[in-house]
Amino acid sequence: MENGRIPRHVGIIMDGNGRWATARGKERSYGHRFGSENVSRIVEHAFNSGVYALTLYAFSSENWARPQKEVDELMKLLKTYIRKFAKKFQKSGVRLCVAGDKQGLSDELIQEINKVEEQTSSHGEHVLNIALNYGGRQEIVYAVNKLLEQGKNVTVDGILSNLYTANCGEPDLIVRTGGELRLSNFLLYQGAYSELYFTDVLWPDFDENEFDKALEEFGKRKRRFGKVQ
Ligand code: FPP
């Protein structure tokens, strides 16, 4: 599953953009802009550190309930960054996928997503999943329905192989920034045996050094997967 002591797949709940901006007397969207820049920095660092796959929680199924202005700003940022990543990953080995329900997103955003997913589908060095309009419970229902549509029995492995993250397996480590101690509907099924790492650091401040601290902590964990060692 993990490669030596480096987790193979890391999921990140990027929390704290709003508080980061408020602390500077700015609007929440200011924090989302810095948070987006930080995504580029951490993706690069994680892949350089030997992490194979990242799943980043960018927009949950529940985030639509935020003020329309903030939703619009986030959607705009996501479109911009998906475009940026498409360009950047064109000639690299990174496969970019969106994990979540594409229905409900704008046609323009769906087009961008389809384009980059197609462009990078054969890339095998790394996987970057952007969880967008994503909910862990909704994902389980989606996977079960896919099995039923195919006339298959519903099994643990069957569900796993129909989740959005089937492209990179179960997360070894789930990180949450911003001080809250919960999963907020993120990777509920595939995270059953993930190691959890929580930090008070707000997402825009979560730099390479903070990511390394999470890796270091992961390296100390004894993973038993329910067995005795
Ligand atoms: C949580 O902070 C963060 C989000 C809901 C959005 C995460 C989005 C990004 C980091 C930017 C776009 C992503 C990509 C992949 C380019 P919050 O707003 O809930 O902060 P708060 O808890 O301080 O209010």
Side-chain angles (χ1 to χ4, degrees):
M1 194 171 261
E2 73 254 31
N3 158 28
R5 297 313 296 158
I6 299 287
R8 184 176 180 275
H9 176 192
V10 180
I12 309 183
I13 303 173
M14 308 179 289
D15 197 12
N17 292 344
R19 279 166 285 160
W20 188 89
T22 307
R24 285 160 179 76
K26 304 277 190 187
E27 281 190 39
R28 294 173 56 80
S29 55
Y30 181 76
H32 293 315
R33 286 203 291 281
F34 272 82
S36 301
E37 264 313 299
N38 198 38
V39 168
S40 302
R41 165 163 79 159
I42 292 302
V43 167
E44 180 135 5
H45 180 65
F47 290 164
N48 285 338
S49 305
V51 170
Y52 168 68
L54 278 175
T55 299
L56 304 179
Y57 206 3
F59 193 91
S60 77
S61 320
E62 290 74 33
N63 284 154
W64 296 108
R66 292 191 175 203
Q68 192 58 42
K69 190 163 168 260
E70 185 173 343
V71 170
D72 291 346
E73 182 72 29
L74 275 167
M75 289 298 149
K76 215 166 114 192
L77 278 169
L78 283 159
K79 199 167 66 200
T80 305
Y81 276 81
I82 285 171
R83 255 190 214 145
K84 271 194 191 178
F85 288 142
K87 228 173 169 180
K88 193 170 165 185
F89 298 154
Q90 220 169 17
K91 291 193 182 71
S92 80
V94 181
R95 178 177 178 192
L96 179 66
C97 297
V98 164
D101 185 3
K102 287 185 199 163
Q103 275 168 23
L105 302 177
S106 73
D107 290 345
E108 212 185 338
L109 184 53
I110 295 173
Q111 267 178 25
E112 290 294 337
I113 293 168
N114 289 342
K115 205 163 78 186
V116 66
E117 284 189 336
E118 206 179 296
Q119 254 177 26
T120 63
S121 62
S122 63
H123 295 184
E125 229 169 278
H126 294 286
V127 173
L128 174 60
N129 288 320
I130 297 185
L132 174 46
N133 197 17
Y134 173 89
R137 290 175 171 175
Q138 292 85 333
E139 182 186 29
I140 297 167
V141 172
Y142 164 82
V144 170
N145 278 327
K146 271 180 62 180
L147 288 170
L148 295 177
E149 278 164 22
Q150 295 158 23
K152 293 187 178 156
N153 286 335
V154 178
T155 61
V156 169
D157 284 343
I159 293 176
L160 276 173
S161 58
N162 280 284
L163 296 174
Y164 296 121
T165 53
N167 57 9
C168 62
E170 298 165 49
D172 302 294
L173 173 66
I174 295 178
V175 172
R176 181 173 190 145
T177 66
E180 308 287 1
L181 306 178
R182 55 177 172 259
L183 286 176
S184 300
N185 208 13
F186 186 55
L187 305 182
L188 296 184
Y189 194 87
Q190 56 277 67
Y193 285 101
S194 302
E195 294 298 325
L196 306 179
Y197 178 85
F198 297 100
T199 171
D200 287 339
V201 175
L202 305 175
W203 174 250
D205 290 329
F206 187 82
D207 59 11
E208 292 92 337
N209 187 37
E210 294 298 334
F211 187 83
D212 288 348
K213 284 189 203 166
L215 292 188
E216 197 184 321
E217 171 64 28
F218 175 81
K220 293 182 193 155
R221 302 278 177 92
K222 301 240 178 313
R223 305 189 75 196
R224 290 190 290 279
F225 301 96
K227 300 177 198 130
V228 179
Q229 256 178 2

